[in-house]
Amino acid sequence: MAGFALSLCVLILPAAVWVTCTGMVTDPYRITRSELDLENEDYRSHRNPTESDYRTQSQRARSQDGERGSQCLRCCDPGEEPPPPYPTPAFQFVPQINITILKGEKGHRGERGTHGKSGKSGSSGPRGPEGMKGHKGATGSPGEPCKTYYSAFSVGRKKALHSNDYYQTLIYDTEFVNLYKHFNMFSGKFYCYIPGVYYFSLNVHTWNQKETYLHLMKNEQELVVLYAQPSDRSIMQSQSLMLELEQNDEVWVRLFKGERENAIFSDDFDTYITFNGYLIKPKSDG
């Protein structure tokens, strides 16, 4: 009976699992305590096993299975706990912090700092290329028309004049030219309305045996004199000059007072006395 049991054993388990043993039954999960300690030691020494470590452990397990194959052990005995699982590598959790979530709100703008010292002037750079020709500009507004200024007069006297105890202004009765009425016929004076350079001339006829003595005046200033000594015959005498006048200046002719007999000749038929003047260059022309 015992020999038959060695040749063939059929066991009926409570969980209806049939296990057929031919020769001897091998328990692949039954590992001795010394073997587990050895493997735990190997794991502690290699926390991060490589492929070669796994290959070595696999070969060691196969060799141990071969040794256990010669033994006949009972499986699943009552009260026997299943072997512990093969220890798996423990992964270390490394926390990662997202820096962006720790960024605070944008602060207020600070006060402007003081200006720093100016740096040294750099050297001049090379001349740049010539730019393209621009477009033609718009037509400008018309300018003021060129102004031309004129001022001229020419007057005469047909009456003779004798000296008196006071100075006498020469008054004229004939008007030849009087542009813009700058010469006043009632006062016998030219009034400057256009500042600039003027030309003036005076012509008179002397009287026989009498002296001729006149001044050409600017305002109240005696500028030039027209003079002729007493003579047995009468002659034409003249005087001329250029003056730079300002606005409202006055130019006129004055007969000297009678310390000596002083006179200018004329008659009602001919004009022997003339006074002329005209503008040469306005001051506005520069």
Side-chain angles (χ1 to χ4, degrees):
M1 188 66 179
F4 180 78
L6 293 173
S7 62
L8 178 63
C9 294
V10 176
L11 300 177
I12 301 175
L13 300 177
V17 178
W18 294 84
V19 178
T20 305
C21 299
T22 303
M24 286 181 292
V25 178
T26 304
D27 185 3
Y29 299 102
R30 193 174 182 86
I31 305 174
T32 61
R33 191 63 182 173
S34 60
E35 293 174 345
L36 288 176
D37 294 338
L38 183 61
E39 290 180 0
N40 288 337
E41 248 179 44
D42 187 49
Y43 169 72
R44 282 192 300 268
S45 62
H46 302 282
R47 290 300 180 95
N48 296 320
T50 60
E51 185 179 355
S52 61
D53 296 334
Y54 285 116
R55 193 178 298 114
T56 303
Q57 292 176 3
S58 178
Q59 292 175 0
R60 188 186 297 127
R62 281 196 297 269
S63 63
Q64 291 173 355
D65 289 343
E67 293 174 359
R68 287 195 300 266
S70 60
Q71 301 176 1
C72 181
L73 302 174
R74 292 179 300 171
C75 64
C76 300
D77 290 339
E80 187 175 353
E81 296 182 358
Y86 186 81
T88 58
F91 294 96
Q92 184 178 2
F93 177 74
V94 180
Q96 295 183 355
I97 300 176
N98 189 356
I99 302 301
T100 58
I101 66 176
L102 300 180
K103 185 178 180 181
E105 296 182 357
K106 185 177 180 180
H108 298 288
R109 184 173 181 178
E111 296 182 358
R112 186 181 182 90
T114 57
H115 290 282
K117 295 182 179 179
S118 300
K120 296 181 179 179
S121 300
S123 57
S124 301
R127 184 184 180 90
E130 186 176 355
M132 298 178 61
K133 185 177 181 180
H135 299 288
K136 186 177 180 180
T139 304
S141 57
E144 296 183 359
C146 182
K147 294 182 179 180
T148 304
Y149 300 95
Y150 299 98
S151 181
F153 72 92
S154 180
V155 293
R157 180 184 174 95
K158 291 184 178 182
K159 292 182 180 181
L161 183 64
H162 291 268
S163 61
N164 207 328
D165 295 337
Y166 51 86
Y167 294 110
Q168 298 181 70
T169 301
L170 209 61
I171 304 298
Y172 305 90
D173 50 31
T174 303
E175 183 180 80
F176 298 109
V177 174
N178 192 5
L179 291 179
Y180 312 113
K181 302 299 179 181
H182 289 179
F183 189 89
N184 191 318
M185 296 294 291
F186 296 99
S187 63
K189 295 180 180 181
F190 169 78
Y191 294 91
C192 176
Y193 292 96
I194 305 171
V197 178
Y198 288 80
Y199 173 82
F200 296 96
S201 66
L202 174 64
N203 300 282
V204 298
H205 193 278
T206 63
W207 201 303
N208 293 343
Q209 304 299 326
K210 293 184 180 181
E211 188 179 38
T212 302
Y213 194 3
L214 299 99
H215 283 104
L216 198 147
M217 309 287 293
K218 175 185 175 183
N219 300 325
E220 297 299 324
Q221 179 185 1
E222 300 172 354
L223 296 180
V224 293
V225 62
L226 188 151
Y227 179 78
Q229 292 181 343
S231 176
D232 294 335
R233 58 193 181 109
S234 61
I235 58 172
M236 291 295 298
Q237 194 81 354
S238 66
Q239 181 66 279
S240 61
L241 79 165
M242 287 191 296
L243 293 175
E244 184 173 1
L245 303 180
E246 298 295 336
Q247 191 171 3
N248 298 325
D249 281 344
E250 301 173 1
V251 180
W252 49 291
V253 179
R254 186 186 70 178
L255 184 65
F256 198 77
K257 60 185 178 178
E259 295 178 355
R260 290 174 292 185
E261 192 174 4
N262 182 19
I264 53 177
F265 174 82
S266 189
D267 58 33
D268 295 335
F269 301 101
D270 297 313
T271 303
Y272 289 90
I273 303 168
T274 60
F275 184 36
N276 309 288
Y278 59 88
L279 175 65
I280 298 176
K281 184 179 182 297
K283 187 177 181 178
S284 59
D285 289 353

